[in-house]
Amino acid sequence: MKRIFFLDGSGPPFGHMLLALGGYLGGFDGNFLWNRIGAEYSSNVPVWSLRLLPALTGALSVPMAYQILLELGFSHCAAMGAALLMLIENALITQSRLMLLESVLIFFNLLAVLSYLKFSNSQKQRPFSLSWWFWLMLTGVACSCAVGVKYVGVFTYLLVLAVASVHAWHLIGDRTLSHVRVLCHLLARAAALLVVPALMYLLFFYVHLILVYRSGPHDQVMSSAFQASLEGGLARITQGQPLEVAYGSQVTLKNVFGKPVPCWLHSHQSTYPMIYENGRGSSHQQQVTCYPFKDVNNWWIVKDPGRHQLVVGSPPRPVRHGDVVQLVHGMTTRFLNTHDVAAPLSPHSQEVSCYVDYNISMPSQNLWRLDIVNRESDADVWKTILSEVRLVHVNTSVALKLSGAHLPDWGFRQLEVVGEKVSRGYHESMVWNVEEHRYGKSQEQKERELELHSPAQMDVSRNLSFMARFLELQWRMLTVKSDGSEHKYSSSPLDWVTLDTSIAYWLHPRTSAQIHLLGNVVIWASASLATVVYALLFLWYLLRRRRSIRDLPEDSWLRWVLAGALCAGGWAVNYLPFFMMEKTLFLYHYLPALTFQILLLPAVLQHISDHLCRSPPLRSLFSALVVAWYSCACHVFITLRPLTYGDKSLSPSELKALRWKDSWDILIRKY
């Protein structure tokens, strides 16, 4: 809402933009600190508008569940059962009533599945008709929206792609279609399910980067070029800098890798200790580190080894790829140096220092060759912000590298910089870029120190292309380190299936009214049981079909397989990957998978009724049990309603009775 750039590793920006749209329509100005859970909203926060979209998508998921069961070929009764289960699932209601994105993700997941089923069914009757194109294109749009809300939406996208690929494979084998017709079918599917989602995904980021054009606290993890493209922040500092680095230029060098924190090449008057804690000796030269803050000691002067002056000539002589330079520390005038001495914390690498002449047999080795990593030709000029460079030591062929280790107290806890053999491979920690830059004009040291504290005033535009910003932002979002710490309400994927966890969302400050993320235990247990039953029945039918025993008519078998592929498969792809994720997990991560299980449950019930309960009395008994089971699920929904809506003050004994295990025991005794 304030147009400030932010980085969120939880997913692409589409979901956040949808919530912001609700806030914008409600007149929200962004002036609220979202820094404390349970804080009272101020009068300028349009809570209703911000919660409108999650509530709307959660409500629309109910009729979509009904439509999906119909498109799969099941009865209206089964479809109504799926819609009812979606309607009375307490966890889905809770999640859709707050400013959260799970209900939006579930909506687009279901929309993708429904659209594809509509398309697949129209394929049998009117291929290439207007409705055929509409549902095919809507499938691609819904898939891209699911991925755009949260990265886990890609699991449903891959599921739809897999089902579409199988159908396309069967289409290729249809001899009634001409080669041209088959090619048109394949191209249409590729365009709608591959090209359209990719373009939509790019569009989300394009709009996002247009909206958040101002500098903010998340800038530091981005490259200098990205930061300079934002209004304020680094863009304000670097505005008017010279583009081409010349001999005599005063520069700050930022490490491109930026881990564990963004930092700049730095030196200060302190020297390495004579003897380290482990007994190894050092050169006792001036320390060179990487410092994570702006500081005047981050400035260096690019010097021509063949000349003495430290100012830019007229005209300036640009530094090019392959040139040999010296780097002079601006405040101490000592040369960046390395030699065959082990680094303090990385003994297999060389120590990097600023040379102090102790008049002993250790001559300076301060020549560095410039290697522009992202050059277009060998004649490329070293450019401010845009060029990513390696500084390779001429004498020892090591590259200036950020090791990432924190020095002890004698190094002020700054980050260690070492010389690493280039032969050991390329890594971003060896790459640097010029962030701040000015043309040096003062040869005298005192005048130069004053110059280092003053801003440059030259006008050079430096705008990154959208694709460059998109690729960098996408990479940072995928590689940002998530908080793996334990949380009071964190849980494991195994806890979700058994509903052995919950989340307390809200507690009224004056009464005992509260909101918890609690699932309807009858629905969760039955959905898990239905998944197991489906798997067993599927394997049984598969084995018997292998023996040429057809228990089901071919159309019923195909419907059974498709229902399992989309519903059981949807549960599996949205649940199993969490076992491999190294991040803090919560119960709401299971809700997309649960939704597919809920769709599978009425399908399994109808299958049992139609194909396993062959006699009318048995079928009537089974129907009565199903009705009783639905009644039990409704009863649990009503029982847990106070914790779902938070609209009733509860006594301690009432709260204790609402714990699901206690409720389960009560239900067993009651029924």
Side-chain angles (χ1 to χ4, degrees):
M1 298 306 302
K2 291 187 172 183
R3 307 294 190 264
I4 294 175
F5 172 79
F6 67 93
L7 178 66
D8 186 359
S10 69
F14 182 56
H16 299 292
M17 289 193 294
L18 290 177
L19 292 180
L21 176 62
Y24 174 78
L25 295 176
F28 183 42
D29 56 8
N31 289 317
F32 182 79
L33 292 177
W34 308 84
N35 59 351
R36 185 169 64 85
I37 296 175
E40 291 286 337
Y41 287 122
S42 56
S43 59
N44 67 309
V45 181
V47 178
W48 189 90
S49 298
L50 287 166
R51 289 179 175 174
L52 176 62
L53 184 71
L56 184 62
T57 53
L60 290 175
S61 298
V62 176
M64 278 203 295
Y66 175 85
Q67 283 291 320
I68 287 174
L69 265 291
L70 286 185
E71 293 298 326
L72 284 171
F74 292 94
S75 66
H76 285 277
C77 185
M80 284 294 293
L84 178 60
L85 293 177
M86 292 285 292
L87 186 66
I88 64 173
E89 171 44 50
N90 299 77
L92 294 179
I93 296 173
T94 301
Q95 204 72 7
S96 64
R97 284 173 51 82
L98 304 174
M99 300 172 208
L100 301 169
L101 292 175
E102 274 66 34
S103 63
V104 184
L105 172 63
I106 290 169
F107 169 80
F108 286 118
N109 282 346
L110 296 181
L111 181 60
V113 172
L114 176 61
S115 301
Y116 183 77
L117 288 173
K118 292 273 191 183
F119 156 75
S120 179
N121 290 334
S122 63
Q123 163 75 24
K124 304 168 186 175
Q125 302 166 358
R126 303 181 305 279
F128 297 103
S129 64
L130 187 61
S131 64
W132 185 91
W133 277 108
F134 173 78
W135 291 116
L136 178 60
M137 298 299 290
L138 185 58
T139 303
V141 171
C143 287
S144 62
C145 290
V147 179
V149 171
K150 282 181 175 287
Y151 281 128
V152 292
V154 76
F155 301 139
T156 302
Y157 177 38
L158 293 176
L159 175 69
V160 172
L161 279 182
V163 174
S165 300
V166 172
H167 287 171
W169 182 253
H170 290 307
L171 195 70
I172 294 172
D174 189 349
R175 301 301 297 271
T176 63
L177 298 176
S178 66
H179 296 320
V180 174
R181 192 77 167 175
V182 171
L183 181 61
C184 290
H185 275 288
L186 296 180
L187 289 177
R189 286 162 171 78
L193 300 181
L194 296 176
V195 177
V196 168
L199 293 177
M200 288 285 295
Y201 190 74
L202 288 173
L203 179 63
F204 299 150
F205 279 88
Y206 183 79
V207 176
H208 174 67
L209 291 173
I210 287 177
L211 291 175
V212 289
Y213 59 87
R214 292 175 179 165
S215 175
H218 290 190
D219 298 0
Q220 292 294 323
V221 298
M222 308 304 292
S223 70
S224 301
F226 194 102
Q227 292 181 53
S229 69
L230 300 171
E231 181 182 293
L234 184 61
R236 175 178 51 81
I237 296 172
T238 60
Q239 184 178 10
Q241 291 186 153
L243 178 61
E244 296 184 348
V245 177
Y247 291 106
S249 286
Q250 300 168 356
V251 300
T252 63
L253 292 166
K254 183 181 180 183
N255 189 265
V256 170
F257 189 49
K259 293 181 180 179
V261 291
C263 61
W264 293 262
L265 190 66
H266 176 94
S267 187
H268 40 243
Q269 292 281 358
S270 301
T271 60
Y272 292 109
M274 290 287 290
I275 303 295
Y276 296 128
E277 288 84 348
N278 58 10
R280 290 191 296 110
S282 79
S283 64
H284 199 46
Q285 299 286 322
Q286 182 172 302
Q287 296 175 18
V288 171
T289 64
C290 206
Y291 190 50
F293 302 99
K294 303 283 188 181
D295 190 85
V296 71
N297 280 313
N298 297 346
W299 284 94
W300 299 81
I301 302 169
V302 181
K303 180 182 176 297
D304 184 348
R307 302 190 181 187
H308 292 291
Q309 59 261 40
L310 298 178
V311 295
V312 175
S314 182
R317 292 188 301 121
V319 183
R320 301 182 183 275
H321 169 74
D323 287 352
V324 175
V325 301
Q326 293 172 314
L327 289 179
V328 182
H329 187 239
M331 297 302 291
T332 62
T333 67
R334 290 189 170 128
F335 289 76
L336 185 69
N337 179 82
T338 187
H339 34 236
D340 191 15
V341 175
L345 302 181
S346 307
H348 297 292
S349 302
Q350 289 185 189
E351 176 193 271
V352 175
S353 62
C354 278
Y355 183 73
V356 180
D357 188 1
Y358 291 120
N359 200 20
I360 57 175
S361 58
M362 183 183 282
S364 64
Q365 297 181 11
N366 52 34
L367 299 180
W368 301 83
R369 186 179 70 255
L370 185 74
D371 179 14
I372 302 178
V373 176
N374 60 342
R375 65 186 182 278
E376 295 180 358
S377 71
D378 288 343
D380 267 15
V381 173
W382 189 5
K383 295 178 181 177
T384 306
I385 290 180
L386 302 179
S387 294
E388 297 180 349
V389 305
R390 285 192 307 178
L391 292 166
V392 181
H393 192 238
V394 172
N395 298 76
T396 60
S397 298
V398 298
L400 192 69
K401 177 185 176 182
L402 169 67
S403 76
H406 285 271
L407 294 170
D409 291 340
W410 54 257
F412 309 102
R413 310 300 299 176
Q414 296 174 18
L415 299 174
E416 181 190 42
V417 173
V418 301
E420 182 76 47
K421 285 291 184 182
V422 178
S423 59
R424 293 179 184 171
Y426 165 81
H427 192 268
E428 276 190 328
S429 58
M430 295 182 177
V431 182
W432 307 78
N433 71 272
V434 171
E435 187 171 271
E436 297 179 66
H437 175 210
R438 63 169 61 88
Y439 281 165
K441 299 176 182 177
S442 305
Q443 184 68 24
E444 295 296 326
Q445 176 63 13
K446 288 187 177 181
E447 295 178 2
R448 189 185 307 119
E449 289 181 9
L450 293 175
E451 189 178 23
L452 291 173
H453 285 90
S454 62
Q457 296 295 330
M458 292 183 67
D459 189 17
V460 178
S461 176
R462 201 170 354 315
N463 291 324
L464 274 184
S465 67
F466 161 69
M467 283 306 299
R469 290 194 296 162
F470 163 74
L471 291 173
E472 179 179 346
L473 179 56
Q474 183 67 85
W475 175 250
R476 294 294 183 188
M477 291 173 70
L478 291 172
T479 58
V480 65
K481 187 176 181 181
S482 61
D483 184 12
S485 60
E486 287 296 319
H487 188 277
K488 180 180 180 180
Y489 296 111
S490 63
S491 53
S492 70
L494 289 176
D495 296 328
W496 304 340
V497 177
T498 58
L499 201 54
D500 198 21
T501 181
S502 65
I503 303 175
Y505 275 160
W506 173 78
L507 175 65
H508 194 281
R510 290 176 295 278
T511 70
S512 59
Q514 49 195 284
I515 296 176
H516 286 250
L517 183 66
L518 284 171
N520 188 317
V521 63
V522 173
I523 296 177
W524 287 55
S526 303
S528 299
L529 180 61
T531 306
V532 174
V533 170
Y534 177 87
L536 294 175
L537 286 175
F538 179 79
L539 290 175
W540 174 252
Y541 291 145
L542 203 61
L543 289 172
R544 288 174 64 82
R545 287 175 71 87
R546 185 64 178 167
R547 299 290 298 172
S548 299
I549 303 173
R550 300 291 192 265
D551 296 294
L552 301 175
E554 194 61 24
D555 60 334
S556 298
W557 167 249
L558 293 177
R559 182 172 68 237
W560 181 247
V561 171
L562 182 59
L566 289 175
C567 299
W571 169 80
V573 299
N574 282 283
Y575 173 59
L576 298 180
F578 284 104
F579 284 95
M580 298 178 285
M581 293 185 185
E582 296 181 355
K583 67 174 187 177
T584 307
L585 299 174
F586 298 93
L587 180 62
Y588 55 74
H589 286 120
Y590 186 62
L591 296 183
L594 174 70
T595 305
F596 285 98
Q597 270 193 323
I598 289 176
L599 296 178
L600 182 65
L601 180 51
V604 171
L605 292 177
Q606 181 180 331
H607 180 84
I608 294 174
S609 176
D610 292 348
H611 300 284
L612 300 184
C613 298
R614 302 185 185 276
S615 63
L618 186 59
R619 187 171 299 173
S620 300
L621 176 61
F622 181 76
S623 299
L625 291 176
V626 170
V627 171
W629 172 82
Y630 271 103
S631 301
C632 185
C634 292
H635 175 77
V636 173
F637 162 70
I638 295 171
T639 302
L640 297 178
R641 186 190 179 284
L643 295 181
T644 300
Y645 291 89
D647 56 357
K648 179 183 177 183
S649 180
L650 299 170
S651 65
S653 59
E654 289 175 318
L655 282 173
K656 184 178 180 180
L658 288 175
R659 292 175 184 171
W660 80 262
K661 288 186 176 180
D662 297 338
S663 301
W664 183 246
D665 294 338
I666 293 171
L667 285 171
I668 290 175
R669 290 194 297 268
K670 186 173 182 179
Y671 292 100

